[in-house]
Amino acid sequence: MDIKSIRRDFSILADERYIYFDNAATSQRPVQVLDAISAFYKETNANPLRGLYEWSIGATDRYEKAREKVAHFIGAKPEELIFTRNTTESLNLVAYSYGMSFINEGDEIVLTVMEHHSNILPWQMVARQRGAKLIFLEPDEEGKLPESEYEKITDRCRLLAVGMVSNVYGVTNPVDRLIRLAHEKGAVVVVDGAQSTPHMKVDVKAMDADFYALSGHKMLGPMGIGALYGKKELLDKMPPFLTGGEMIEYVTRDTATYAELPHKFEAGTVNAGDACGLAAAVDYLENIGFDFIREQEEKLTGLALSVMQDMEHVTIYGAKTPEDHSGIITFNIEGCHPHDVSSVLDSEHVCIRAGHHCAQPLMQYMGVNSTARASMYFYNTEDEVIRFTEALKKVRGWLGYGS
């Protein structure tokens, strides 16, 4: 693939003064995605699923074809794919609908300490209200789960919630094995796929996940659109998360019959324009190919690590090998607050993230308050990595250190 050609699809990258290394927070969007959103509103702007006139029928058709596209992308059936706003809403849907209905007093909910807050807070709520107990799996210094941690998944475990890729370490968790172990104990498994879906081929059926959540904005799609996959047999017995328009079949003054899947979980006017944008993002990723994405990320990460590992005052968290980072490098510079590091790099037009990355339990486990994080994607270049590392070498000097 020609990187220069790829970058021409992203108008924001035309200003080469800027280096965007905050892709783990949100990716950039190619013109194909923007065009798909615009086309929906220009050509079929009407409420899907409601009108019997041409524009509404067209809107419905585009919306449902977007669902089919996203479902196929992760190996799911369309009726098992619910559109949400993002991964956070998807995980809350599972927590409120499944967790509050089927988790009971004395049950255990198993998480990893690496989880994003979006995959911790909902389960704290369920545990608190249902009398369950939270159990945390803890990683080693490379961010990998030791064999001994698997023993914490016991017969009392009723639900395992795990991020497929850590947004701090970038490590890919062994979800296939974790799912198998949890199922042996009779537990269901919720996979946070926010960081995995943009970087690798996902097949929810092959991994046997019970639930899988993703966000469009991390995988070239629009903000405000995400998706939740759930096994049909589980979704069928779960009550709706939100109630109101469109998710009903029949309503009287006192009762209601809910619509069939997946509409039972999609109350109100749906975000059809952005669903079309997400489908276009899927097309773009499939055209690029995950082999190329992985190759490019590992090349860029390896180049950055080779320089940063030789910098005397830099601490890198996680594995030493680029293939274990998914384009994410989390680090600190001795004596420099991550916010200051980010500000200094911003003066050089380098965009990185600084803070706790919505992973404060992991920060506490690591013994730090916050870190800096550079995250690369397939449209980034080796020249950008070189400029980033050169800017990094200036940080301590800018902040009053000799080097």
Side-chain angles (χ1 to χ4, degrees), residues 325-370:
H325 280 266
S326 300
I328 293 172
I329 302 177
T330 298
F331 64 97
N332 269 325
I333 299 178
E334 183 183 344
C336 306
H337 193 282
H339 289 171
D340 293 331
V341 174
S342 178
S343 293
V344 171
L345 292 180
D346 180 54
S347 70
E348 300 278 331
H349 300 304
V350 179
C351 310
I352 69 163
R353 181 56 58 99
H356 52 65
H357 315 297
C358 293
Q360 284 182 298
L362 178 57
M363 297 289 116
Q364 294 158 7
Y365 179 75
M366 293 162 58
V368 296
N369 291 320
S370 58

Side-chain angles (χ1 to χ4, degrees), residues 145-152:
L145 294 171
E147 289 280 330
S148 57
E149 290 298 294
Y150 299 147
E151 298 174 4
K152 294 179 179 178

Side-chain angles (χ1 to χ4, degrees), residues 92-397:
N92 272 272
L93 190 162
V94 179
Y96 277 92
S97 185
Y98 183 88
M100 292 297 289
S101 299
F102 299 103
I103 301 296
N104 298 305
E105 186 172 356
D107 290 345
E108 292 181 351
I109 300 171
V110 178
L111 322 169
T112 81
V113 78
M114 296 180 282
E115 298 309 308
H116 189 282
H117 293 167
S118 295
N119 207 22
I120 295 179
L121 270 64
W123 309 117
Q124 289 180 344
M125 179 276 299
V126 172
R128 186 168 54 248
Q129 296 196 30
R130 300 295 294 174
K133 183 180 181 181
L134 296 181
I135 304 294
F136 286 90
L137 310 182
E138 298 176 344
D140 59 21
E141 289 186 355
E142 291 196 338
K144 300 177 181 180
L145 294 171
E147 289 280 330
S148 57
E149 290 298 294
Y150 299 147
E151 298 174 4
K152 294 179 179 178
I153 304 173
T154 71
D155 292 335
R156 292 184 296 276
C157 176
R158 296 274 67 83
L159 185 143
L160 169 68
V162 58
M164 190 166 176
V165 171
S166 165
N167 74 316
V168 174
Y169 291 123
V171 67
T172 301
N173 284 312
V175 291
D176 289 354
R177 182 175 182 188
L178 289 169
I179 290 170
R180 186 170 65 253
L181 290 172
H183 284 171
E184 289 173 358
K185 304 299 182 181
V188 301
V189 182
V190 182
V191 179
D192 175 352
Q195 292 294 339
S196 53
T197 317
H199 303 281
M200 60 191 67
K201 182 61 180 174
V202 169
D203 188 331
V204 294
K205 297 293 187 182
M207 73 170 71
D208 201 20
D210 297 296
F211 300 98
Y212 184 94
L214 62 88
S215 288
H217 72 97
K218 295 182 187 291
M219 49 180 284
L220 310 181
M223 294 182 181
I225 190 76
L228 172 69
Y229 157 79
K231 288 181 177 177
K232 185 176 185 300
E233 59 267 29
L234 295 176
L235 295 174
D236 275 335
K237 67 181 182 179
M238 289 161 51
F241 176 41
L242 299 172
T243 56
E246 200 50 55
M247 49 73 64
I248 53 86
E249 184 68 34
Y250 189 75
V251 179
T252 69
R253 292 190 182 194
D254 302 310
T255 62
T257 302
Y258 301 123
E260 295 294 317
L261 291 174
H263 303 292
K264 180 173 82 169
F265 293 101
E266 294 181 357
T269 298
V270 295
N271 188 1
D274 285 346
C276 293
L278 180 55
V282 166
D283 282 336
Y284 196 94
L285 287 171
E286 290 183 326
N287 182 58
I288 292 292
F290 283 108
D291 288 342
F292 174 78
I293 291 172
R294 171 67 70 174
E295 178 185 341
Q296 181 73 357
E297 288 175 351
E298 289 184 8
K299 179 174 65 176
L300 299 177
T301 306
L303 178 59
L305 287 175
S306 68
V307 177
M308 294 172 68
Q309 287 169 346
D310 289 336
M311 295 175 66
E312 183 179 357
H313 301 285
V314 173
T315 299
I316 299 170
Y317 301 98
K320 294 180 172 58
T321 51
E323 58 267 26
D324 290 317
H325 280 266
S326 300
I328 293 172
I329 302 177
T330 298
F331 64 97
N332 269 325
I333 299 178
E334 183 183 344
C336 306
H337 193 282
H339 289 171
D340 293 331
V341 174
S342 178
S343 293
V344 171
L345 292 180
D346 180 54
S347 70
E348 300 278 331
H349 300 304
V350 179
C351 310
I352 69 163
R353 181 56 58 99
H356 52 65
H357 315 297
C358 293
Q360 284 182 298
L362 178 57
M363 297 289 116
Q364 294 158 7
Y365 179 75
M366 293 162 58
V368 296
N369 291 320
S370 58
T371 63
R373 184 186 70 187
S375 50
M376 293 155 276
Y377 208 14
F378 64 88
Y379 45 61
N380 290 123
T381 68
E382 293 178 71
D383 178 66
E384 288 181 320
V385 172
I386 293 169
R387 288 167 56 198
F388 159 67
T389 55
E390 289 301 312
L392 209 59
K393 294 174 183 177
K394 301 176 184 178
V395 169
R396 281 176 56 88

